[in-house]
Amino acid sequence: MTDFWAPLRTSTQARIGLGRAGDGLPTRSVLEFRAAHAAARDAVHQPLDVEVFAKEVESLGLGAPAVVRSQVADRGEYLRRPDLGRVPASLEDVAKADADVGVVLADGLSPRALHDHGAALLGAVAQAVKGVYTIAPPVIATSARVALGDHIGAALGAEILIVLIGERPGLSVADSLGIYLTYQPRPGRADSERNCISNIHPPDGLGYTEAARIVKGLIGGARELGRSGVDLKDTSRLELTGTTAVERG
């Protein structure tokens, strides 16, 4: 019998056309669902090996990374108290840098995503902006929410801050990475003042090179516009035809 759903499954990771066995799902679908759920839970709770990851980041040649931890005590508190994940325990290891762009590599809700994609994505961003913008030595942030980057960006004195952070795992993807870009970061910035590039997890999601190209366009647009967020639109695809990455709201 021809499987009607087979060609559609090649274009999506969503669970479609699972079929049924009696009143329930086929055993194979049930087991696949449970395996995906277990992978998502592991992605949330498995901590980042900071020492190993720091060596990988340092090998990019952007400088030895500083390490910052938020004010949460453990993973359980991280999940219950998002407010504490937005505030650093200390910034004494973050040095002011004379650079256009600051970078924070944050574990977020999927340390696995940062481990799998963080260094490679940062390398692609560094290559994309090479000779155009300077990058401060990276900062690794643990038990971190996006807004923790505002404190770090202010301490760095960066004009633009990009936060590479593990996204909330789903039942189809447990290692997706996102990028949040903020112009002139400082504590108190609203989420509406950030731009987000999400779903970065090659080969199924957005690739490193494409994500880096979008970041470069947004950096240029933010500097030209003097702000980021809802007023700054990603028109990177139009850049291929010579259109600017900035729309004035």
Side-chain angles (χ1 to χ4, degrees):
M1 177 182 291
T2 302
D3 184 355
F4 171 80
W5 298 96
L8 298 178
R9 291 194 192 96
T10 63
S11 60
T12 178
Q13 293 177 286
R15 289 179 167 77
I16 58 175
L18 300 181
R20 63 182 181 182
D23 293 333
L25 291 170
T27 300
R28 177 177 179 177
S29 297
V30 173
L31 294 177
E32 288 176 345
F33 178 87
R34 290 181 177 177
H37 186 247
R41 288 177 61 88
D42 288 348
V44 171
H45 291 285
Q46 186 172 355
L48 177 72
D49 189 328
V50 175
E51 185 175 347
V52 171
F53 184 64
K55 290 180 180 177
E56 190 176 0
V57 172
E58 188 171 2
S59 69
L60 298 174
L62 298 173
V67 179
V68 172
R69 182 180 174 83
S70 75
Q71 291 190 355
V72 302
D74 52 43
R75 201 62 179 168
E77 188 174 61
Y78 173 79
L79 297 175
R80 294 192 304 272
R81 294 287 305 273
D83 56 320
L84 296 180
R86 301 182 182 114
V87 185
S90 172
L91 290 174
E92 62 182 9
D93 293 332
V94 179
K96 193 174 182 62
D98 184 20
D100 301 318
V101 181
V103 178
V104 174
L105 298 145
D107 54 0
L109 284 163
S110 178
R112 174 186 161 187
L114 187 65
H115 175 272
D116 290 354
H117 305 296
L121 177 57
L122 176 56
V125 171
Q127 186 62 35
V129 305
K130 185 177 182 180
V132 183
Y133 306 117
T134 56
I135 299 179
V139 177
I140 298 172
T142 60
S143 298
R145 302 279 176 172
V146 173
L148 182 66
D150 293 336
H151 298 265
I152 298 171
L156 288 169
E159 183 179 16
I160 303 281
L161 182 75
I162 59 173
V163 178
L164 283 60
I165 188 167
E167 296 179 335
R168 183 188 306 276
L171 292 174
S172 59
V173 181
D175 64 340
S176 181
L177 205 63
I179 299 177
Y180 288 82
L181 180 147
T182 307
Y183 179 76
Q184 291 188 347
R186 58 178 180 270
R189 282 294 194 191
D191 288 341
S192 60
E193 295 175 294
R194 314 184 202 282
N195 290 83
C196 178
I197 306 165
S198 65
N199 206 34
I200 304 168
H201 57 96
D204 297 316
L206 188 65
Y208 306 139
T209 302
E210 177 65 10
R213 190 177 68 82
I214 296 172
V215 168
K216 181 183 177 183
L218 288 174
I219 292 173
R223 298 187 79 190
E224 180 181 345
L225 188 60
R227 57 187 182 275
S228 55
V230 295
D231 293 333
L232 175 63
K233 306 303 181 186
D234 169 27
T235 56
S236 55
R237 291 178 177 80
L238 298 179
E239 280 187 315
L240 298 175
T241 61
T243 305
T244 179
V246 177
E247 285 186 5
R248 298 183 185 278

